[in-house]
Amino acid sequence: MHHHGDPVDVLTLDDVDAPQPAAGQVAVDVAAAGVNFADILLCQGSYQEKPPLPFTPGLELAGTVRAVGEGVDDLAPGQRVVALPALPRGAYAEQSLAAASDCFAIPDSLSDTSAAALTITYQTGWFGLVHRAGLRRGETLVVHAGASGVGSAAIQIGLACGAHVIATAGGPGKVELCRALGAHEVIDYRAVDLVDALRAATGGRGADVIYDPVGGDVFDASRRCLAWEGRLVVVGFASGRIPEAPANHILVKNYSVVGVHWGGYRQRDPALVRRCHDQLMAWHAAGTIEPLVMEARPLSEVPAALALLADRGAYGKIAITVS
């Protein structure tokens, strides 16, 4: 992209020079890339990271190491990895760059499209539910936007932790998707009052942990549905409104509002990110988690894929395949 705007207006498919890895970097032949809402914000210029123009968006990929830079001794050409690209050379390309510390080996049992759809949403779920909220076996977990990429990952991680999982979703189709993922109960927030339904589903006690990637009115409703010493995990604001939490309500109900800035761990605690990846790979090997991939589209359809995501027409994750 050469200037900011909506993806369908500003993204073009260009021929550029092949990226060369600097010291500590890896060049990767991209097999597949994950589509994320953050890519829309990148294109619009409203994301927290603002790479210089022109740049290639795309925040996660699966592929094969093509070359390594000076000082990289734990990765080798031909090795399959998932990677978090170093912008401005993002994932929506035939070749990309990443710091060696942002590359993680993947097994042959994990397909390229599943691998590309796994890293950001499942790591966010692990950091939010396991590391930050300390979700315990037998606790009740509510996952909002359960049929989305981040929500479907949280449902599976909650089940892996032994929680009783209640998902919320909009419409019968997405409700059925959440049931297919294994959610014990699913609430169609379009058909019922969300607060009344959540209170009824928890027997009036409230949820121990609520995972909220929506914000806005959903956050406001969630505050009223927490159990004593509950944890409200703030993941994002897909609704567009950033809510506020009154401190007196937090004190009286004795709950915690927990923020999850997953990207911050890449700089502050990379060893924990690698531990998270290892846990996800173990869960996948055991058949506990499997990314919900709605569809795979070719590289030329990145703008259309992002438009579908922006219009709330997607469920799970969309993958981009690169030949």
Short mmCIF file of all heavy atoms in Angstrom, two decimals, residues 2 4 13 21 31 57 71 98 134-135 176 187 225 238 251 258 267:
data_model
loop_
_atom_site.label_atom_id
_atom_site.label_comp_id
_atom_site.label_asym_id
_atom_site.label_seq_id
_atom_site.Cartn_x
_atom_site.Cartn_y
_atom_site.Cartn_z
N HIS A 2 0.44 2.25 -0.79
CA HIS A 2 1.23 3.47 -0.98
C HIS A 2 0.65 4.66 -0.23
O HIS A 2 1.32 5.67 -0.04
CB HIS A 2 1.35 3.80 -2.47
CG HIS A 2 2.07 2.74 -3.25
ND1 HIS A 2 3.44 2.76 -3.46
CD2 HIS A 2 1.63 1.60 -3.85
CE1 HIS A 2 3.80 1.71 -4.17
NE2 HIS A 2 2.72 0.99 -4.42
N HIS A 4 -2.70 5.57 2.96
CA HIS A 4 -3.66 4.98 3.88
C HIS A 4 -5.09 5.11 3.36
O HIS A 4 -5.43 6.05 2.64
CB HIS A 4 -3.55 5.65 5.26
CG HIS A 4 -2.27 5.37 5.96
ND1 HIS A 4 -1.40 6.35 6.37
CD2 HIS A 4 -1.68 4.20 6.31
CE1 HIS A 4 -0.35 5.81 6.95
NE2 HIS A 4 -0.50 4.50 6.93
N LEU A 13 -1.41 -5.09 -5.98
CA LEU A 13 -0.49 -6.22 -6.09
C LEU A 13 0.70 -5.76 -6.94
O LEU A 13 0.58 -5.59 -8.15
CB LEU A 13 -1.20 -7.40 -6.73
CG LEU A 13 -0.52 -8.77 -6.63
CD1 LEU A 13 -0.27 -9.15 -5.18
CD2 LEU A 13 -1.38 -9.83 -7.31
N PRO A 21 17.56 -10.92 4.33
CA PRO A 21 17.61 -10.86 5.80
C PRO A 21 18.84 -10.14 6.32
O PRO A 21 19.96 -10.39 5.86
CB PRO A 21 17.62 -12.34 6.20
CG PRO A 21 18.24 -13.05 5.02
CD PRO A 21 17.79 -12.29 3.81
N ALA A 31 3.77 -19.56 2.50
CA ALA A 31 2.81 -20.53 1.99
C ALA A 31 1.39 -20.07 2.26
O ALA A 31 0.50 -20.26 1.43
CB ALA A 31 3.05 -21.90 2.63
N PRO A 57 1.12 -5.11 4.33
CA PRO A 57 0.53 -5.57 5.59
C PRO A 57 0.56 -7.08 5.70
O PRO A 57 1.09 -7.78 4.84
CB PRO A 57 -0.91 -5.03 5.50
CG PRO A 57 -1.19 -4.94 4.04
CD PRO A 57 0.13 -4.63 3.37
N GLY A 71 24.23 -14.44 12.46
CA GLY A 71 23.92 -14.65 13.86
C GLY A 71 22.75 -15.57 14.13
O GLY A 71 22.45 -15.87 15.29
N ALA A 98 11.27 -11.79 8.93
CA ALA A 98 10.89 -11.83 10.34
C ALA A 98 12.15 -11.93 11.18
O ALA A 98 13.17 -12.48 10.73
CB ALA A 98 9.96 -13.01 10.63
N GLY A 134 -5.67 -16.68 34.70
CA GLY A 134 -5.47 -17.86 35.54
C GLY A 134 -6.67 -18.78 35.56
O GLY A 134 -7.05 -19.30 36.62
N LEU A 135 -7.28 -19.01 34.40
CA LEU A 135 -8.47 -19.85 34.31
C LEU A 135 -8.18 -21.24 34.87
O LEU A 135 -7.19 -21.88 34.51
CB LEU A 135 -8.91 -19.95 32.84
CG LEU A 135 -10.17 -20.77 32.56
CD1 LEU A 135 -11.40 -20.14 33.20
CD2 LEU A 135 -10.36 -20.92 31.05
N GLU A 176 -24.60 -22.33 16.04
CA GLU A 176 -24.28 -23.73 15.74
C GLU A 176 -22.78 -23.96 15.61
O GLU A 176 -22.27 -25.01 16.00
CB GLU A 176 -25.00 -24.18 14.47
CG GLU A 176 -26.50 -24.34 14.65
CD GLU A 176 -26.85 -25.27 15.80
OE1 GLU A 176 -26.24 -26.36 15.90
OE2 GLU A 176 -27.73 -24.91 16.61
N ILE A 187 -25.39 -18.65 23.68
CA ILE A 187 -26.44 -17.64 23.78
C ILE A 187 -26.44 -16.81 22.51
O ILE A 187 -25.39 -16.27 22.11
CB ILE A 187 -26.21 -16.73 25.00
CG1 ILE A 187 -26.34 -17.56 26.30
CG2 ILE A 187 -27.18 -15.55 25.00
CD1 ILE A 187 -25.88 -16.81 27.53
N CYS A 225 -22.29 -9.34 34.99
CA CYS A 225 -22.47 -10.79 34.96
C CYS A 225 -21.26 -11.54 35.51
O CYS A 225 -21.07 -12.73 35.21
CB CYS A 225 -22.75 -11.26 33.54
SG CYS A 225 -24.20 -10.49 32.80
N ALA A 238 -13.93 -4.52 19.03
CA ALA A 238 -14.48 -4.70 17.70
C ALA A 238 -15.76 -3.91 17.48
O ALA A 238 -16.11 -3.59 16.34
CB ALA A 238 -14.74 -6.18 17.44
N LEU A 251 -14.86 -2.35 42.91
CA LEU A 251 -14.58 -2.56 44.33
C LEU A 251 -15.70 -3.34 45.00
O LEU A 251 -15.46 -4.34 45.70
CB LEU A 251 -14.40 -1.20 45.01
CG LEU A 251 -13.99 -1.18 46.48
CD1 LEU A 251 -13.20 0.09 46.78
CD2 LEU A 251 -15.20 -1.24 47.42
N VAL A 258 -8.86 -7.15 33.37
CA VAL A 258 -7.52 -7.59 32.99
C VAL A 258 -7.27 -7.29 31.52
O VAL A 258 -8.00 -7.75 30.64
CB VAL A 258 -7.36 -9.11 33.25
CG1 VAL A 258 -5.95 -9.56 32.88
CG2 VAL A 258 -7.67 -9.44 34.70
N GLN A 267 8.40 -8.22 22.94
CA GLN A 267 9.57 -7.44 23.35
C GLN A 267 9.92 -7.67 24.82
O GLN A 267 11.10 -7.72 25.19
CB GLN A 267 9.32 -5.94 23.11
CG GLN A 267 9.31 -5.51 21.66
CD GLN A 267 8.03 -5.90 20.95
OE1 GLN A 267 6.95 -5.80 21.53
NE2 GLN A 267 8.14 -6.34 19.70
#
